[in-house]
């Protein structure tokens, strides 16, 4: 459901916002021209600093887009870059006056650009190609989920996925060794705590490099307030629950998908997250490596289609041969706009080409068309092999050991059952009847005179050898899944140096993966979240371009390099202290303290304020006089 449909389904409650912000629609497309999605788009927002305040009252300009011939001289990107450059160089007091003009210029720029509608035949061909490319991964994903995460099998069709039947079946029937499932859950929880901790504080906004020094102090305070508003919406949403599910998919299959939608105004948060299983989506990768072309397949009834897209042309048939509602295969395609304007096109269509739907679904089975300014789908990968679209996971690397350990435990259990119950042999002497023997305490078994009776048969298996093999396999599984590195340490008495060494090793192990997650998860996630709050009027338009505003990731994993540098500096300072007071006097202690506070993330209000240069000179003169 897009923001515009959500707006229609859930009317806005004015008590949450006042003024123009409370009446602003949340659709990504303000003005449309026809069902194909062509037309002008109205840009709303008060720039970086509006009316001398950032994120204060949420007041924005609502100038309507007007197409003029002289406004199409520059592209949208060029006009945006020019406007942001002027904003960064102007004093803070003048930025409020330029916000309305920037919004009007953006609206006129959007009105001048054109959107090229993707034909439904091309969409179907691209969907079939994406599904064909994904089909080669399904069996591999199935094995990974079956042995490492059976309770969340995101690669196979499950009873609750399409048929509407509640699940509850057993998931661990073929799993005999729980080392891999336990390590997968530990790694997912560690990623959650190290990259996007539920406690918050894993991102911050800072002035970019193109902001004047005189404006940095004011802009820093306003950006801190904007980050606090954004973090509050994350805390009140279901972000922690769905993000953990996405990390489980990432560790198991190497690829995960998160959908961020705008919730209604009656909800405590503006965000609604969904961890999309891999069985429901297929991706395309662009030439620049972005995996933002998404096809998602649904199985919906006629009533569900009507609730999801009220303007859809519904099929005639509503029931199957029985009494159950008929279900239709529906595909939602969110693809980058191939036209001049940025953004993404949304097209919902029947997978059967309109044949089963009776031809009533519009042009060749099309149900609905719309557009997004920022894609609601966020797809990210653990690592990627050249030439492949989908990612590869640590479970894939450890899968041979996982399957071998699972088989070894199965054989050990069979051998253990033989050792407990035993295998017996007896002479056929005409007296002993094996079918009537019950091996219970106190039982009397008759036998012929001179016969051996029941004699036990020794089991050929050796538990000590299987234990050695199994121990080695479990160690390799934990090492591949980083359970012995990122998990809780079993040495509570570690020194500060040992803690820093362990943190440095974690940063080295997750360096490449963390860099990919920054590019594919964190930046698109924050960009989409800011876009939703800008549409609601709770945040100003904040361009995360590095010139005006830059995003700084401040999660524990991002702080590890700083803490390692701080540990090295402390070690150097301790060595300097052994050289005597003269050597220690060469160190600027106030600057050293402030640098260490910044490396360890200590708040500024815990330090004494820095005196101006004039006050420092005056204090020095008075001390000399005394």
């Amino acid at each position: 459901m897009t923001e515009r449909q959500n707006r229609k389904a859930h009317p806005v409650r004015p008590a949450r916002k006042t003024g123009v912000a409370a009446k602003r629609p949340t659709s990504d497309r303000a003005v449309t021209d026809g069902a194909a999605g062509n037309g002008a788009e109205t840009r709303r927002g008060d720039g970086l600093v509006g009316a001398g305040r950032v994120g204060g009252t949420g007041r924005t300009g609502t100038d309507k887009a007007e197409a003029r011939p002289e406004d199409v001289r520059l592209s949208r990107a060029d006009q945006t870059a020019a406007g942001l450059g002027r904003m960064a160089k102007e004093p803070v007091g003048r930025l409020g006056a330029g916000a309305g003009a920037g919004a009007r210029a953006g609206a006129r720029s959007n009105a001048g650009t054109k959107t090229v509608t993707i034909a439904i035949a091309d969409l179907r061909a691209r969907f079939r190609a994406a599904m064909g490319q994904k089909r080669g991964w399904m069996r591999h994903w199935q094995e990974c989920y079956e042995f490492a995460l059976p309770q969340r099998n995101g690669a196979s069709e499950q009873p609750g996925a399409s048929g509407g039947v509640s699940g509850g079946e057993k998931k661990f029937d073929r799993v005999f060794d729980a080392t891999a499932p336990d390590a997968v859950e530990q790694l997912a929880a560690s990623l959650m705590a190290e990259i996007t901790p539920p406690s918050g504080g894993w991102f911050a906004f800072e002035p970019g490099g193109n902001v004047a020094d005189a404006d940095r102090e004011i802009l820093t305070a306003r950006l801190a307030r904007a980050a606090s508003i954004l973090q509050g919406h994350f805390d009140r949403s279901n972000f922690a629950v769905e993000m953990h599910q996405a990390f489980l998919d990432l560790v198991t299959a190497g690829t995960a998908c998160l959908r961020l939608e705008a919730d209604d105004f009656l909800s405590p948060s503006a965000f609604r997250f969904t961890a999309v299983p891999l069985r429901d989506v297929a991706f395309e990768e662009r030439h620049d490596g972005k995996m933002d072309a998404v096809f998602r397949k649904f199985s919906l009834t006629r009533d569900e289609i009507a609730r999801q897209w009220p303007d859809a042309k519904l099929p005639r048939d509503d029931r199957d041969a029985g009494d159950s509602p008929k279900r239709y295969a529906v595909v939602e395609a969110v693809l980058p706009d191939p036209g001049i304007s940025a953004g993404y096109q949304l097209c919902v269509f029947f997978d059967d080409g309109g044949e089963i739907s009776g031809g009533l679904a519009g042009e060749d089975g099309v149900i609905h068309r719309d557009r997004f300014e920022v894609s609601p789908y966020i797809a990210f990968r653990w690592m990627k092999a050249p030439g492949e679209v989908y990612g590869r996971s640590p479970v894939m690397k450890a899968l041979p050991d996982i399957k071998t350990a699972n088989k070894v435990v199965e054989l050990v259990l069979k051998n253990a059952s033989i050792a407990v119950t035993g295998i017996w042999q007896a002479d056929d002497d005409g007296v002993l009847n094996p079918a009537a023997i019950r091996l219970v305490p106190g039982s009397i078994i008759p036998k012929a005179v001179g016969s051996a009776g029941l004699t036990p048969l020794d089991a050929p298996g050796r538990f000590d050898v299987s234990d050695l093999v199994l121990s080695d396999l479990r160690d390799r599984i934990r090492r591949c899944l980083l359970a012995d590195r990122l998990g809780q340490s079993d040495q509570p008495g570690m020194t500060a140096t040992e803690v820093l060494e362990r943190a440095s090793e974690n940063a080295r192990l997750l360096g490449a993966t963390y860099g990919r997650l920054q590019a594919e998860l964190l930046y698109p996630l924050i960009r989409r979240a800011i876009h939703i709050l800008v549409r609601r009027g709770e945040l100003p338009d904040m361009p995360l371009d590095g010139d005006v505003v830059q995003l700084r990731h401040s999660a524990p994993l991002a702080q590890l390099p700083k803490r390692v540098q701080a540990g090295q500096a402390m070690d150097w300072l301790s060595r300097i202290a052994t050289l005597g007071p003269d050597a220690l006097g060469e160190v600027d202690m106030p600057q050293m303290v402030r640098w260490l506070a910044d490396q360890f993330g200590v708040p500024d209000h815990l330090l004494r304020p820095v005196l101006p240069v004039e006050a420092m000179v005056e204090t020095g003169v008075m001390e000399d006089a005394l």
Side-chain angles (χ1 to χ4, degrees):
M1 182 180 292
T2 61
E3 287 91 335
R4 185 182 62 172
Q5 298 161 359
N6 195 7
R7 170 77 178 187
K8 291 180 180 179
H10 304 279
V12 179
R13 185 175 61 181
R16 191 176 184 90
K17 275 290 180 182
T18 58
V20 180
K23 301 179 181 180
R24 174 184 304 153
T26 58
S27 174
D28 280 358
R29 185 180 62 180
V31 181
T32 59
D33 183 13
N38 299 331
E41 179 183 346
T42 303
R43 285 287 297 269
R44 298 179 175 91
D46 42 28
L48 183 59
V49 182
R53 295 183 296 272
V54 170
T57 59
R59 298 182 59 188
T60 59
T62 57
D63 301 290
K64 191 175 181 179
E66 299 177 358
R68 300 180 182 178
E70 61 271 20
D71 295 330
V72 199
R73 296 175 182 175
L74 294 177
S75 66
R76 178 181 177 184
D78 295 337
Q79 291 191 11
T80 303
L84 295 180
R86 290 192 300 270
M87 286 172 56
K89 295 177 182 179
E90 289 181 10
V92 177
R94 296 178 56 191
L95 291 181
R104 289 189 292 271
R108 291 194 297 268
S109 174
N110 287 340
T113 57
K114 296 182 179 180
T115 300
V116 180
T117 303
I118 304 176
I120 183 62
D122 296 338
L123 284 175
R124 294 187 184 279
R126 294 172 65 176
F127 170 66
R128 288 193 295 268
M131 292 299 293
Q133 193 173 31
K134 169 189 170 183
R135 199 168 293 115
W137 292 83
M138 293 295 294
R139 188 173 180 180
H140 200 180
W141 291 341
Q142 177 66 26
E143 284 190 343
C144 292
Y145 278 104
E146 184 177 1
F147 290 101
L149 196 66
Q151 69 270 24
R152 177 181 166 81
N153 197 332
S156 66
E157 293 293 337
Q158 296 180 354
S162 59
V165 182
S166 61
E169 66 277 5
K170 295 181 180 180
K171 301 291 187 179
F172 282 84
D173 286 345
R174 295 188 58 188
V175 177
F176 296 94
D177 183 71
T179 304
D182 182 63
V184 165
E185 292 185 359
Q186 287 189 26
L187 180 54
S190 299
L191 291 176
M192 186 78 181
E194 295 289 341
I195 298 178
T196 56
S199 58
W202 49 274
F203 66 91
F205 301 123
E206 295 178 349
N210 204 15
V211 178
D213 294 337
D215 304 333
R216 283 186 173 273
E217 184 176 355
I218 300 177
L219 194 56
T220 300
R222 296 172 180 174
L223 290 177
R225 186 178 185 276
S228 177
I229 294 175
L230 185 59
Q231 184 64 59
H233 282 279
F234 275 114
D235 296 340
R236 295 190 299 271
S237 67
N238 61 336
F239 172 72
V241 177
E242 298 299 322
M243 192 72 250
H244 181 256
Q245 298 296 326
F247 277 135
L248 288 174
D249 290 337
L250 178 69
V251 174
T252 305
T255 306
C257 183
L258 191 69
R259 180 181 173 95
L260 173 53
E261 298 177 278
D263 211 341
D264 56 73
F265 280 80
L266 302 179
S267 300
S269 173
F271 305 146
R272 184 172 66 252
F273 293 89
T274 304
V276 185
L278 289 178
R279 64 172 177 268
D280 297 338
V281 290
F283 304 101
E284 285 183 352
E285 187 180 36
R286 290 200 283 181
H287 65 280
D288 56 358
K290 293 182 179 180
M291 199 171 57
D292 54 356
V294 182
F295 297 93
R296 185 178 181 184
K297 192 172 181 179
F298 299 90
S299 180
L300 304 175
T301 62
R302 187 176 183 272
D303 295 337
E304 291 172 346
I305 296 175
R307 288 194 300 268
Q308 192 83 355
W309 300 282
D311 55 346
K313 295 182 179 181
L314 302 177
R316 295 188 182 95
D317 299 333
D318 188 24
R319 297 284 175 179
D320 285 327
D323 296 333
S324 60
K326 190 174 183 179
R327 308 190 75 86
Y328 298 90
V330 178
V331 179
E332 180 189 45
V334 179
L335 307 176
D337 199 330
I340 302 176
S341 61
Y344 296 81
Q345 290 190 19
L346 167 67
C347 183
V348 185
F349 55 91
F350 284 102
D351 189 22
D352 61 307
E355 299 175 0
I356 300 179
S357 58
L360 293 179
E363 178 190 355
D364 198 11
V366 176
I367 299 176
H368 178 73
R369 282 189 183 269
D370 210 324
R371 76 182 312 275
F372 291 100
E373 184 69 20
V374 182
S375 175
Y377 289 101
I378 304 165
F380 49 99
R381 295 162 287 191
W382 178 271
M383 63 169 291
K384 175 182 172 297
E388 295 181 348
V389 176
Y390 296 90
R392 293 190 175 270
S393 67
V395 170
M396 293 180 181
K397 182 174 64 174
L399 190 58
D401 291 333
I402 294 174
K403 296 171 68 175
T404 305
N406 193 72
K407 192 65 177 178
V408 169
V409 173
E410 181 182 1
L411 296 176
V412 167
L413 292 176
K414 290 181 178 179
N415 196 9
S417 65
I418 294 175
V420 172
T421 58
I423 300 178
W424 305 83
Q425 59 182 355
D427 296 334
D428 188 6
D429 53 5
V431 177
L432 183 65
N433 184 10
I437 294 176
R438 296 184 61 190
L439 298 176
V440 294
S443 62
I444 300 175
I445 303 174
K447 73 179 186 65
V449 177
S451 65
L454 286 177
T455 57
L457 183 66
D458 293 335
R462 294 183 58 187
F463 287 95
D464 53 350
V465 177
S466 60
D467 288 342
L468 292 176
V469 174
L470 192 59
S471 177
D472 186 44
L473 290 173
R474 287 172 174 172
D475 289 341
R476 288 205 299 266
I477 292 172
R478 293 192 184 96
R479 192 178 305 113
C480 289
L481 298 181
L482 305 178
D484 56 344
R485 301 297 181 184
L486 297 181
Q488 293 293 330
S489 174
D490 55 355
Q491 301 176 3
M494 289 195 305
T495 63
T497 304
E498 292 174 345
V499 172
L500 289 176
E501 288 297 330
R502 181 183 176 90
S504 177
E505 187 174 2
N506 293 342
R508 186 182 72 254
L509 292 174
L510 291 179
T513 302
Y514 173 65
R516 179 175 291 276
L517 291 179
Q518 270 190 320
E520 296 184 355
L521 170 63
L522 299 177
Y523 287 105
L525 175 64
I526 297 299
R527 184 167 175 259
R528 172 66 177 170
I530 290 177
H531 173 74
I532 292 176
L533 294 185
V534 168
R535 284 288 176 181
R536 293 167 65 103
E538 298 189 31
L539 284 184
D541 196 0
M542 298 168 50
L544 300 178
D545 55 357
D547 291 335
V548 180
V549 179
Q550 62 180 358
L551 174 64
R552 181 173 62 87
H553 190 219
S554 56
L557 187 60
Q559 299 295 329
L560 291 181
K562 289 187 174 182
R563 295 184 179 181
V564 171
Q565 293 180 1
Q568 294 175 352
M570 293 294 294
D571 182 60
W572 170 78
L573 191 62
S574 62
R575 295 175 185 271
I576 290 295
T578 59
L579 300 179
D582 295 337
L584 206 63
E586 297 295 328
V587 181
D588 191 347
M589 285 300 177
Q591 291 294 331
M592 184 72 176
V593 170
R594 294 188 175 277
W595 182 81
L596 289 175
D598 180 69
Q599 297 298 98
F600 284 103
V602 178
D604 294 337
H605 66 271
L606 298 181
L607 301 175
R608 292 181 179 179
V610 180
L611 296 177
V613 179
E614 296 80 3
M616 294 175 63
V617 172
E618 183 178 355
T619 304
V621 171
M622 294 180 61
E623 290 179 354
D624 294 340
L626 292 175

